[in-house]
């Protein structure tokens, strides 16, 4: 009995040890499985948030595995991924041809060429930059993007594969393009600055030399007639220098949005008659006839009177410079109940068609020998645009030129101080709007520069 009891005890002990060992083994397997599942979950999270595509492809560019679906939160297709690269990424050429690689443009694709070369040489490539146009999944939107593609050659179970890593570098490329544009603008600005200083030096030096030179001669003049001649030359160059400084000052103020436009109501006919009296005195000894086409009935306007006079004066000065015979006409007419058409027309030498687009640029003078800064038309165009119009030119060689512009009869709030410049814009926001008995708008404004 004692031997049998010992045997039973031994068997039971062995059974318990076996069961305990089996439990331990099962527990380790469970822990191992849980660890593997956790690792897979971690890997899935990484692939979903890696911000880059990886594609495992074969020689035929068929995608064997990818994070495309997990990255875009899309369900993986039943049966696994069997699409080619272009089909998976909705390449526009692949969609058009019906299959990746069948479009005639596929032969020129640098990505396909690099992949084929890498498979042939059993090598890898890195950081291949290319511009792509991807079609959206619903095939309605084409999205341009820049990508950086790297490929790593692999040998798996005796078969050739390649892991493609595709990074979207569109934002980086856009930033680089903006930096390039800014650098070009900076270079252009430096060139304009140098040209401005050179032009200013020349334009200021000419009248200044005349003022200094003839001032010295006037002191040593032997007769009253000679002194008067020198004094007239000095006065003329004083006016020229002052006009240059005023033009530059006005232009810089308007473009920076710091100029004050004073809007008042006035009769346009009074404005034209005032200019007629001034310029007829200047043409007193000339063979050119000045004709003012004013209306008998008043044409009331609410705008910037002094700036309109400034523009018309610039245009009349130019007409006088380039017209040696014939006539100069200026005036206005009602274009509609809400707009007034102004014009200055001459029978001068005219402007060649190929030069007409240049004359509104700064310091552009078609005749270098003619006095002037080359700023008058630039300033005039800027003023007219701020008043809601645009300065136009109609000219023909040896037939004369006509400068014209149309302005609103009553300035509209939304047209005040809109300054168009390459990088900035200036607007004025209204604080209050009042109208008088005949409809003119009186504005109180607060300037904001954007």
């Amino acid at each position: 009995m004692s031997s049998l009891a010992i045997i039973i005890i031994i068997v039971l002990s062995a059974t318990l040890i076996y069961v305990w060992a089996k439990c331990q083994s099962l527990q380790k397997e469970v822990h191992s499985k849980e660890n593997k599942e956790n690792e897979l979950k971690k890997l899935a999270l990484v692939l979903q948030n890696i911000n880059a595509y990886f594609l495992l492809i074969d020689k035929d560019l068929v995608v064997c595995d990818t994070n495309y679906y997990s990255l875009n939160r899309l369900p993986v297709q039943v049966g696994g991924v069997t699409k080619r690269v272009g089909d998976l990424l909705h390449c526009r050429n692949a969609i058009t041809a019906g299959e990746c690689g069948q479009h005639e443009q596929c032969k020129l694709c640098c990505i396909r060429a690099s992949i084929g070369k890498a498979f042939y040489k059993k090598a890898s490539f890195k950081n291949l930059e290319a511009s792509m146009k991807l079609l959206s999944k619903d095939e309605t939107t084409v999205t341009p993007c820049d990508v950086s593609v790297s490929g790593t050659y692999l040998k798996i179970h005796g078969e050739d594969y390649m892991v493609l890593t595709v990074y979207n570098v569109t934002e980086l490329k856009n930033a680089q393009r903006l930096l390039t544009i800014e650098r070009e603008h900076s270079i252009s600005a430096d060139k304009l600055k140098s040209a401005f200083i050179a032009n200013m030096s020349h334009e200021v030096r000419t009248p200044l030399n005349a003022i200094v030179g003839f001032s010295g001669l006037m002191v040593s003049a032997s007769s009253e007639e000679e002194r008067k001649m020198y004094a007239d030359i000095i006065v003329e160059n004083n006016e020229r220098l002052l006009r240059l400084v005023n033009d530059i000052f006005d232009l810089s103020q308007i473009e920076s949005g710091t100029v004050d436009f004073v809007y008042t109501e006035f009769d346009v006919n009074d404005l034209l008659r005032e200019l007629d009296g001034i310029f007829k005195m200047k043409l007193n000894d000339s063979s050119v006839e000045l004709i003012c086409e004013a209306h008998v009935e008043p044409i009331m306007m609410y705008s910037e009177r002094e700036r309109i006079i400034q523009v018309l004066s610039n245009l009349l000065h130019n007409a006088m410079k380039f017209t040696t015979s014939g006539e100069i006409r200026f005036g206005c007419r009602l274009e509609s109940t809400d707009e007034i058409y102004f014009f200055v027309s001459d029978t001068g030498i005219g402007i060649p068609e190929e030069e007409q687009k240049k004359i509104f640029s700064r310091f552009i003078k078609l005749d270098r020998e003619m006095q002037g800064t080359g700023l008058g038309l630039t300033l005039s165009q800027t003023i007219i645009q701020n008043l809601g119009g645009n300065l136009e030119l109609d000219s023909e060689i040896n037939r004369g030129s006509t400068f014209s512009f149309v302005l609103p009869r009553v300035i509209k709030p939304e047209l005040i101080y809109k300054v168009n410049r390459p990088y900035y814009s200036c607007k004025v926001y209204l604080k209050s709007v009042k109208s008088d008995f005949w409809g003119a708008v009186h504005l109180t404004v607060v300037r904001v520069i954007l």
Side-chain angles (χ1 to χ4, degrees), residues 21-175:
K22 194 66 175 176
C23 288
Q24 290 288 88
S25 176
L26 289 173
Q27 189 175 11
K28 287 182 180 180
E29 287 182 6
V30 169
H31 283 303
S32 176
K33 188 175 181 180
E34 288 178 353
N35 289 336
K36 287 181 180 179
E37 288 178 353
N38 290 333
E39 291 298 323
L40 289 174
K41 287 180 181 179
K42 289 180 182 178
L43 180 60
L45 286 173
V46 170
L47 295 179
Q48 288 175 3
N49 297 277
I50 199 172
N51 200 26
Y53 293 137
F54 85 79
L55 302 92
L56 179 65
I57 64 172
D58 61 16
K59 283 186 175 181
D60 296 324
L61 273 68
V62 173
V63 179
C64 304
D65 196 6
T66 181
N67 69 333
Y68 173 84
Y69 294 101
S70 58
L71 191 60
N72 290 286
R73 304 298 194 274
L74 297 173
V76 180
Q77 291 183 342
V78 178
V81 182
T82 58
K83 291 185 176 181
R84 287 185 169 85
V85 175
D87 299 325
L88 181 73
L89 299 180
H90 300 283
C91 171
R92 186 175 62 172
N93 293 334
I95 296 294
T96 302
E99 186 180 356
C100 175
Q102 298 301 312
H103 197 280
E104 58 181 9
Q105 294 295 325
C106 292
K107 298 176 182 178
L108 305 176
C109 178
C110 61
I111 296 177
R112 290 182 65 89
S114 298
I115 293 172
K117 184 179 179 180
F119 268 119
Y120 177 76
K121 292 188 173 182
K122 301 184 184 302
S124 303
F125 63 90
K126 290 185 178 180
N127 302 327
L128 172 66
E129 293 186 356
S131 295
M132 301 178 65
K133 290 185 178 180
L134 303 182
L135 196 66
S136 61
K137 191 177 180 182
D138 57 4
E139 301 183 8
T140 59
T141 307
V142 175
T143 305
C145 66
D146 296 294
V147 296
S148 175
V149 183
S150 297
T152 303
Y153 173 79
L154 297 174
K155 197 84 169 178
I156 303 175
H157 302 304
E159 298 291 335
D160 294 331
Y161 291 94
M162 186 167 295
V163 175
L164 296 182
T165 308
V166 183
Y167 295 94
N168 186 343
V169 293
T170 304
E171 292 185 5
L172 176 62
K173 284 296 178 182
N174 287 339

Side-chain angles (χ1 to χ4, degrees), residues 292-406:
C292 175
E293 297 183 0
H295 287 247
V296 177
E297 297 180 359
I299 301 178
M300 301 306 294
M301 187 175 186
Y302 184 85
S303 189
E304 226 294 6
R305 185 179 189 274
E306 297 306 316
R307 295 295 178 179
I308 296 175
I309 290 178
Q310 183 179 358
V311 171
L312 291 174
S313 297
N314 281 337
L315 298 177
L316 287 168
H317 273 296
N318 287 344
M320 290 168 55
K321 289 179 188 177
F322 299 102
T323 306
T324 56
S325 62
E327 63 184 28
I328 298 174
R329 290 179 176 270
F330 74 102
C332 71
R333 66 170 181 265
L334 284 173
E335 190 75 359
S336 66
T337 56
D338 299 325
E339 294 180 324
I340 301 177
Y341 171 87
F342 293 87
F343 72 93
V344 174
S345 181
D346 63 61
T347 57
I349 61 176
I351 302 171
E353 185 177 354
E354 62 273 13
E355 302 288 343
Q356 291 181 15
K357 293 182 180 180
K358 301 178 183 178
I359 62 172
F360 294 108
S361 301
R362 301 180 186 186
F363 295 110
I364 297 297
K365 297 199 306 183
L366 301 183
D367 187 349
R368 287 286 182 183
E369 302 301 322
M370 192 65 66
Q371 287 189 355
T373 62
L375 285 174
L377 289 177
T378 304
L379 178 60
S380 298
Q381 178 70 287
T382 306
I383 291 172
I384 295 303
Q385 287 178 345
N386 276 268
L387 295 178
N390 191 56
L391 189 57
E392 304 286 348
L393 168 63
D394 181 19
S395 184
E396 188 177 342
I397 294 293
N398 299 325
R399 296 291 298 274
S401 303
T402 299
F403 288 88
S404 62
F405 55 92
V406 177

Side-chain angles (χ1 to χ4, degrees), residues 172-201:
L172 176 62
K173 284 296 178 182
N174 287 339
Q176 289 177 347
R177 293 185 188 107
L178 287 174
L179 288 173
T180 301
I181 292 171
E182 289 297 328
R183 185 176 68 250
E184 291 175 353
H185 285 162
S186 176
I187 294 171
S188 298
D190 288 338
K191 289 181 179 179
L192 287 173
K193 177 181 171 183
S194 300
F196 174 80
I197 293 173
N199 280 297
M200 279 294 298
S201 300

